Amino acid sequence: MEAKEAKPKLKKGFWKPEEDLILRKYVEIHGEGKWRTVSEKSGLKRGGRSCRLRWKNYLRPNIKRGEMSEQEKDLIIRLHKLLGNRWSLIAGRLPGRTDNEVKNYWNTHLHKVVSGDKTKEQQQQQMVKSPKPQVPSSATMAKTSPPDDKETEKMNHQVRSLSLQDFAQIFWDEGTFSLTTENILFHPFVGDDDFQSFLLL
DNA sequence: AAGCATCACAACCGCAGGCAC
DNA sequence: TGTGCCTGCGGTTGTGATGCT
């Protein structure tokens, strides 16, 4: 039995600093995309998807590392309530954070908080009071992303179109808006007529 | 000090949509 | 119009770090 094709054995597991360096340099010169060729041409013995993930989650410029701020935590909880496990959409509202990071953070910290921690329970109760519709499981949601501008616009549109009312409810606490300045800054409606109207409600 | 349990997070995998040919 | 490749998404797994007994 012949071996089909001497496939170079792909490396798995944690990335070494020198591998990061190679990938970073390659992307700086050639740009993002065509991840399969990145792995072939750069000499990295990594699969294209592994390269893409590493770049997207750790090497990309403007990645924010470190602990989540209170505003970020709050926003994640609220958006998760609204959007469900649409991590890429949620991450899109958190500058510098990646979907993987948000997902991990939710699974290790916030999920526990929301589903049981006494000290935080009160915060969550406010949101649990009025059940929010989840995003319809439409195949159009959150799958596939063309490059940035389009994607951003698409996400904003998606969130906008389904959630003006939902946001109004979510940010409504016991008869008082808890829409903070920070939340407004993160909010996709900023600058939109929709949002202006929303604020005037 | 050693062994075990749990936590936190990086990375991988399967699936599905978009796009080029 | 059909097919195959590329890429992104969400779920899951693996591994190192830390805490506890």
Side-chain angles (χ1 to χ4, degrees), chain A residues 22 32 38 87 91 107 113 132 157 177:
Chain A
I22 292 170
E32 296 180 47
V38 172
W87 304 117
N107 287 334
V113 168
K132 302 300 175 305
H157 175 73
F177 273 119

Side-chain angles (χ1 to χ4, degrees), chain A residues 189 191-198:
Chain A
F189 304 148
D192 284 356
D193 292 343
D194 280 351
F195 186 61
Q196 301 304 325
S197 319
F198 169 55

Side-chain angles (χ1 to χ4, degrees), chain A residues 1 7-9 20 24 28 31 41 85 98 100 104-105 107 110 116 121-122 125 129 137 156 178 183 194 199:
Chain A
M1 314 339 164
K7 256 201 238 171
K9 206 173 172 183
D20 284 345
R24 184 179 277 124
E28 277 171 9
K41 293 181 180 176
N85 294 356
T98 67
N100 206 37
N104 281 330
Y105 192 78
N107 287 334
L110 301 178
E121 198 169 357
Q122 285 179 330
Q125 277 178 348
K129 273 173 188 162
S137 60
N156 285 347
S178 68
N183 287 336
D194 280 351
L199 288 177

Side-chain angles (χ1 to χ4, degrees), chain A residues 9-200:
Chain A
K9 206 173 172 183
L10 295 178
K11 203 175 161 194
K12 288 185 181 182
F14 291 95
W15 281 66
K16 296 200 179 90
E18 53 266 33
E19 292 179 300
D20 284 345
L21 197 64
I22 292 170
L23 179 58
R24 184 179 277 124
K25 279 196 185 307
Y26 186 93
V27 175
E28 277 171 9
I29 294 169
H30 297 93
E32 296 180 47
K34 299 287 176 190
W35 293 108
R36 192 157 159 174
T37 63
V38 172
S39 63
E40 286 168 4
K41 293 181 180 176
S42 67
L44 283 168
K45 292 179 174 53
R46 296 278 185 172
R49 293 203 303 182
S50 182
C51 293
R52 182 183 66 80
L53 202 69
R54 186 65 185 173
W55 172 258
K56 190 179 144 202
N57 287 333
Y58 301 95
L59 303 178
R60 209 173 41 163
N62 304 322
I63 287 287
K64 196 195 284 182
R65 311 297 302 169
E67 193 159 344
M68 297 278 183
S69 68
E70 287 303 314
Q71 277 77 30
E72 287 174 313
K73 290 179 198 173
D74 187 55
L75 196 61
I76 291 170
I77 292 169
R78 289 170 189 274
L79 286 172
H80 184 270
K81 191 73 199 164
L82 177 69
L83 300 167
N85 294 356
R86 304 285 174 182
W87 304 117
S88 61
L89 282 178
I90 294 172
R93 302 299 93 209
L94 295 163
R97 302 293 187 183
T98 67
D99 53 353
N100 206 37
E101 192 178 9
V102 171
K103 177 174 59 182
N104 281 330
Y105 192 78
W106 174 266
N107 287 334
T108 54
H109 297 87
L110 301 178
H111 181 63
K112 278 179 273 182
V113 168
V114 169
S115 60
D117 185 293
K118 293 284 182 206
T119 60
K120 296 270 184 175
E121 198 169 357
Q122 285 179 330
Q123 292 176 20
Q124 314 318 326
Q125 277 178 348
Q126 296 170 341
M127 288 173 289
V128 173
K129 273 173 188 162
S130 50
K132 302 300 175 305
Q134 294 292 306
V135 173
S137 60
S138 147
T140 62
M141 287 294 294
K143 287 277 179 190
T144 315
S145 312
D148 293 325
D149 290 347
K150 257 203 223 162
E151 169 63 2
T152 303
E153 177 49 38
K154 194 170 131 194
M155 287 193 308
N156 285 347
H157 175 73
Q158 287 167 346
V159 175
R160 243 191 329 260
S161 59
L162 67 86
S163 66
L164 192 56
Q165 215 174 356
D166 297 334
F167 258 94
Q169 286 196 330
I170 274 188
F171 286 103
W172 184 275
D173 291 328
E174 304 280 336
T176 308
F177 273 119
S178 68
L179 198 55
T180 65
T181 307
E182 289 80 5
N183 287 336
I184 291 172
L185 287 174
F186 285 135
H187 204 285
F189 304 148
V190 167
D192 284 356
D193 292 343
D194 280 351
F195 186 61
Q196 301 304 325
S197 319
F198 169 55
L199 288 177
L200 292 174

